Amino acid sequence: NAGVTQTPKFQVLKTGQSMTLQCAQDMNHEYMSWYRQDPGMGLRLIHYSVGAGITDQGEVPNGYNVSRSTTEDFPLRLLSAAPSQTSVYFCATADGPNYGYTFGSGTRLTVV
Amino acid sequence: ELKVEQNPLFLSMQEGKNYTIYCNYSTTSDRLYWYRQDPGKSLESLFVLLSNGAVKQEGRLMASLDTKARLSTLHITAAVHDLSATYFCAVTPSGTYKYIFGTGTRLKVLA
């Protein structure tokens, strides 16, 4: 039982490049979310999903796309990386709104 | 726009002392969550509060929820160094499935 697996753990991108951050879970949780955490700040919601085929925007969705074709996977795509997207990205899952999130270990992304 | 505010933002306290962290939110919600984050690590779920008046306790930490006041508290009893971390509250606004996080409270417990 791996829980929530995020890959890669570290990534350096050049401005304008695109990439996909992967998030996979083996807990059969319906809820999945992506957050970014900037130094000294809280977590800001990028996109979230309440089940396969259902996604919605969070607080800071611009520059990011998501899809949820399966319960297990919730990839986050950066369309054209910008230095302002330098951050730590966390994927989190929950077994519905009456439960707290289980977080992945995070992806540290630097855009130069 | 939902705002979730915590205070204090930073807290330095002596071992053995008691203190309370406050989480205020600006919209109706009947679900509130508390998390802990150690430096350089991911977040760990501490408490889930699902109704007005809910109280949960684990060790030296006790969380409560007052939905009418839109306020949750995280009370620390007889702090120990191992409680040093950043604590976040999160709220799910009524009628949505978004978990919105507060600003965080960085707690440092001094020996």
Side-chain angles (χ1 to χ4, degrees):
Chain A
N1 188 343
V4 183
T5 302
Q6 288 186 240
T7 56
K9 293 193 184 307
F10 301 93
Q11 183 70 49
V12 179
L13 285 180
K14 293 183 178 179
T15 297
Q17 288 184 319
S18 62
M19 80 160 294
T20 299
L21 307 185
Q22 302 290 346
C23 177
Q25 54 109 349
D26 61 1
M27 298 176 287
N28 203 34
H29 286 173
E30 292 296 328
Y31 283 33
M32 296 186 77
S33 293
W34 277 102
Y35 290 89
R36 61 177 288 175
Q37 184 176 33
D38 299 305
M41 297 184 66
L43 282 78
R44 291 184 289 171
L45 179 63
I46 304 171
H47 287 284
Y48 66 103
S49 170
V50 297
I54 306 169
T55 63
D56 205 348
Q57 296 182 348
E59 302 169 280
V60 289
N62 292 340
Y64 308 94
N65 275 354
V66 292
S67 60
R68 184 96 180 269
S69 56
T70 67
T71 298
E72 294 77 21
D73 298 297
F74 191 41
L76 177 71
R77 296 182 188 83
L78 278 69
L79 307 173
S80 178
S84 61
Q85 293 178 305
T86 293
S87 190
V88 178
Y89 291 84
F90 288 104
C91 177
T93 78
D95 195 13
N98 291 346
Y99 299 89
Y101 267 133
T102 298
F103 278 80
S105 57
T107 295
R108 187 174 296 273
L109 176 68
T110 302
V111 182
V112 297
Chain B
E1 179 188 338
L2 170 64
K3 290 188 177 180
V4 184
E5 296 181 333
Q6 293 180 230
N7 71 83
L9 297 182
F10 300 97
L11 176 56
S12 180
M13 55 191 298
Q14 297 288 331
E15 276 194 331
K17 298 293 187 183
N18 304 334
Y19 209 85
T20 300
I21 298 170
Y22 298 88
C23 174
N24 294 272
Y25 52 97
S26 63
T27 190
T28 56
S29 173
D30 51 10
R31 295 189 183 95
L32 191 133
Y33 317 84
W34 284 96
Y35 294 85
R36 168 184 171 140
Q37 185 179 37
D38 293 309
K41 303 292 187 182
S42 186
L43 282 82
E44 172 191 358
S45 179
L46 293 175
F47 301 110
V48 179
L49 304 169
L50 298 177
S51 61
N52 186 43
V55 177
K56 293 279 184 72
Q57 182 163 6
E58 180 75 31
R60 301 173 187 275
L61 300 178
M62 183 175 72
S64 65
L65 178 61
D66 181 344
T67 59
K68 291 181 171 56
R70 299 180 182 174
L71 171 69
S72 180
T73 60
L74 181 66
H75 187 72
I76 302 155
T77 301
V80 293
H81 179 72
D82 285 351
L83 291 179
S84 297
T86 299
Y87 292 86
F88 292 96
C89 64
V91 171
T92 303
S94 296
T96 79
Y97 302 105
K98 303 179 182 184
Y99 289 58
I100 304 298
F101 278 75
T103 46
T105 296
R106 186 179 298 180
L107 171 66
K108 187 172 184 179
V109 181
L110 305 173

